[in-house]
Amino acid sequence: MDERVIVCIGCPKGCEIHVKYEGHEVIEMTGNTCKRGEDYVRNEITYPLRMVTSIVPVEGGEFATVPVKTKSDIPKEKIFDVMRELTHVRVKAPVNMGDVVLKDAAGTGIDIIATRSVK
Amino acid sequence: MHCDLVIIGGGPAGLAAALSARENGIEDILILERDHYLGGILNQCVHTGFGLHTFKEELTGPEYAERYVNMVLDKKIPYKVDTMVTDIAPDRTVTAMNKDDGVMKIEASAVILAMGCRERPRGAMNIPGKRPAGIYTAGTAQRLVNIEGYMPGKEVVILGSGDIGLIMARRMTLEGAHVKAVVEIKPKSGGLVRNIEQCLNDFNIPLLLSHTVTKVEGDNRVTGVVVSKVDENMKPIPGTEVHYDCDTLLLSCGLIPENELTRGANATMDPKTGGPVANDHLMTSVDGIFACGNVYHVHDLVDHVSEEAVKAGAFAAEYIKEKRGN
Ligand SMILES: Cc1cc2nc3c(=O)[nH]c(=O)nc-3n(C[C@H](O)[C@H](O)[C@H](O)COP(=O)(O)OP(=O)(O)OC[C@H]3O[C@@H](n4cnc5c(N)ncnc54)[C@H](O)[C@@H]3O)c2cc1C
Ligand code: SF4
């Protein structure tokens, strides 16, 4: 059996969650305040996930860049693959919040979307 | 020119205050913002972590801002961007200027201060060494990277472990920089544990507690820094110096409310918060001048800023209506 203390990143509270587990099987979990924390810890011991946020250059817009994010969490180990693909992305103004700027980033199946509108 | 309610600052505080005043029956509102766009500092906070309370989902800073900006546009609340407020007189005459209007004097029935905060500059910190290029506050670096799309350096040391410093450690790492260490003089980080986890630990960036930068090297550009351990009194311990090669030093040493204008209006200040003293109607010591958001005191969460601003907007509306009744 393994034991770990995992700090939940689900919200600013940052609960310290103590977990005992065997392989992918949680045996005991204490310290989480809500269900998000439980889900987070389950993922952490099996398949850690993260949201990635960044920016991409915009052509012909009122700003030089548009902020972007992964539409949902991606595998943590893919963070730098996603960032690498993003270095090749350029968009043309206008961009609307929620527009897809890159489909299926680095084979994760997750799209990258704009988080701001740029006229 | 007369205006019922002038709001200074178009960040989340100013926007939420404007919406709330409108909801409470004030038509004649003007938001003045010195930047080129509404939304305030949130526009450069491209990471997630905003709006869990307000919108029940985790948004990035720009998304949170745009939702409020859209509500303000929707309600057709007047605003002027690229407009700098230079003075607020105790009688609530607001002086502002921009390219199109020149200098404006606006007599306001009520004023809401929503100018936000800024970071402590290096001057407040006295690190020996020259002042070569390559030293930025973390907030300035955040603006450069996220809004201008410009990377200020490749080899980075960060002094201070406030949240903006932690966020920038991850941001610069994602953009290909090597963040060598985050150096914190106190025995504990001032940042959120979730940020230490997801911004430092995820990327194996060391956090050196009870350490500080004791020297900055380089003539024209930073070439390195010396980091020393400190004792319980935060004094560097001789013999503990370690040298780090780097071309960039980011400073993340806390936020201070931006209150030059508030002082100019003769408002009584609270030395503890760095903001103005206000009563339970969020009115400062100056009649008809209200304050909310980070200019009042530094908030950790933007959701709390918005909540407070809703109250300020409602109190200002009440004040204006009462005056009219007289
Ligand atoms: C660099 C930095 C990074 C931050 N990052 C985070 C974060 O990641 N997460 C988080 O929760 N909080 C963060 N904060 C705190 C953040 O400021 C608040 O969450 C929130 O944005 C505060 O809202 P506000 O409206 O009070 O201030 P702001 O968003 O700062 O808005 C104030 C506005 O007033 C304008 N203004 C100031 N003076 C004048 C003048 N004289 N004339 C006209 N306009 C003026 C400014 O241009 C600005 O747009 C950060 C703060 C800073 C300084
Ligand atoms: S367990 Fe729930 S309350 Fe605790 S940090 Fe995670 S999301 Fe927040």
Side-chain angles (χ1 to χ4, degrees):
Chain A
M1 189 180 67
D2 291 305
E3 236 181 296
R4 264 171 77 186
V5 179
I6 296 177
V7 174
C8 177
I9 61 170
C11 83
K13 213 173 151 106
C15 297
E16 261 188 26
I17 304 175
H18 294 251
V19 57
K20 294 184 182 155
Y21 60 102
E22 189 95 62
H24 289 179
E25 198 76 31
V26 172
I27 294 164
E28 192 189 296
M29 197 187 304
T30 52
N32 58 307
T33 308
C34 72
K35 177 77 171 45
R36 281 168 71 107
E38 194 183 314
D39 296 343
Y40 178 73
V41 166
R42 267 178 221 288
N43 282 331
E44 278 302 281
I45 60 172
T46 52
Y47 197 48
L49 298 171
R50 292 292 183 272
M51 191 89 136
V52 176
T53 59
S54 187
I55 52 146
V56 300
V58 188
E59 281 163 23
E62 54 182 339
F63 308 115
T65 63
V66 60
V68 298
K69 70 175 182 186
T70 50
K71 193 165 181 190
S72 56
D73 290 338
I74 59 151
K76 186 174 161 184
E77 63 192 31
K78 292 278 191 177
I79 292 177
F80 282 100
D81 297 334
V82 168
M83 285 304 295
R84 220 166 293 126
E85 271 198 14
L86 268 178
T87 57
H88 305 297
V89 177
R90 282 192 152 54
V91 294
K92 282 206 172 73
V95 186
N96 287 315
M97 180 163 75
D99 282 359
V100 174
V101 303
L102 176 65
K103 279 197 107 48
D104 183 16
T108 57
I110 311 285
D111 295 343
I112 309 276
I113 60 171
T115 55
R116 180 184 194 180
S117 305
V118 179
K119 281 183 284 208
Chain B
M1 178 157 91
H2 173 87
C3 181
D4 281 346
L5 177 60
V6 172
I7 297 175
I8 303 170
L15 297 175
L19 286 163
S20 156
R22 175 58 64 82
E23 231 159 69
N24 284 281
I26 305 301
E27 285 300 314
D28 184 20
I29 302 174
L30 181 60
I31 304 172
L32 300 174
E33 168 56 54
R34 68 176 167 199
D35 228 320
H36 187 55
Y37 39 78
L38 296 174
I41 212 83
L42 290 181
N43 286 303
Q44 70 184 56
C45 303
V46 304
H47 56 279
T48 58
F50 303 87
L52 267 175
H53 292 271
T54 313
F55 296 111
K56 304 283 171 270
E57 55 180 311
E58 184 155 22
L59 302 173
T60 63
E63 288 170 310
Y64 188 94
E66 190 157 326
R67 287 192 184 197
Y68 273 90
V69 171
N70 286 343
M71 289 188 262
V72 163
L73 297 179
D74 203 48
K75 296 273 181 243
K76 303 201 166 49
I77 298 176
Y79 66 91
K80 284 180 190 288
V81 290
D82 293 313
T83 304
M84 178 83 179
V85 174
T86 53
D87 186 63
I88 309 166
D91 70 353
R92 299 185 301 277
T93 303
V94 175
T95 309
M97 50 195 221
N98 65 30
K99 270 218 219 94
D100 298 330
D101 304 290
V103 175
M104 292 170 278
K105 296 254 183 207
I106 309 164
E107 289 145 26
S109 304
V111 171
I112 298 179
L113 307 174
M115 290 94 75
C117 59
R118 61 186 155 77
E119 279 177 292
R120 287 205 166 97
R122 181 193 181 198
M125 292 188 317
N126 305 322
I127 311 162
K130 294 187 180 159
R131 307 209 153 203
I135 305 178
Y136 304 88
T137 65
T140 302
Q142 191 179 45
R143 185 184 177 103
L144 287 173
V145 176
N146 291 343
I147 298 203
E148 327 273 331
Y150 165 80
M151 270 291 279
K154 285 208 153 63
E155 310 257 290
V156 186
V157 170
I158 300 179
L159 174 59
S161 59
D163 285 310
I164 306 167
L166 300 177
I167 297 279
M168 282 313 290
R170 174 177 63 184
R171 191 68 194 97
M172 303 271 295
T173 305
L174 287 178
E175 290 294 341
H178 179 195
V179 178
K180 302 206 161 164
V182 175
V183 181
E184 170 60 55
I185 193 165
K186 300 204 182 107
K188 194 174 169 290
S189 164
L192 295 169
V193 280
R194 77 189 298 227
N195 284 339
I196 294 178
E197 193 57 33
Q198 61 183 346
C199 297
L200 301 188
N201 297 349
D202 270 4
F203 302 96
N204 302 315
I205 300 169
L207 172 62
L208 306 175
L209 297 171
S210 295
H211 280 73
T212 192
V213 170
T214 44
K215 191 166 175 230
V216 179
E217 296 168 344
D219 290 324
N220 300 318
R221 172 87 199 191
V222 175
T223 55
V225 296
V226 174
V227 172
S228 305
K229 249 197 190 129
V230 300
D231 61 21
E232 314 79 72
N233 303 316
M234 296 194 206
K235 289 268 172 304
I237 305 169
T240 61
E241 296 86 359
V242 177
H243 170 91
Y244 288 83
D245 280 333
C246 63
D247 57 23
T248 304
L249 174 65
L250 298 190
L251 307 172
S252 175
C253 301
L255 300 168
I256 31 177
E258 175 129 4
N259 273 299
E260 283 70 19
L261 291 173
T262 319
R263 279 189 210 92
N266 273 335
T268 309
M269 304 298 293
D270 181 343
K272 269 213 292 287
T273 59
V277 173
N279 65 16
D280 53 7
H281 277 49
L282 295 169
M283 186 155 85
T284 66
S285 65
V286 187
D287 190 46
I289 301 188
F290 299 79
C292 59
N294 279 354
V295 77
Y296 176 32
H297 64 93
V298 174
H299 298 62
D300 280 336
L301 272 185
V302 71
D303 303 75
H304 298 159
V305 168
S306 301
E307 272 167 41
E308 186 177 87
V310 167
K311 289 187 199 150
F315 288 136
E318 194 178 290
Y319 173 91
I320 293 166
K321 287 190 271 186
E322 241 167 57
K323 279 271 144 117
R324 270 191 210 145
N326 286 345

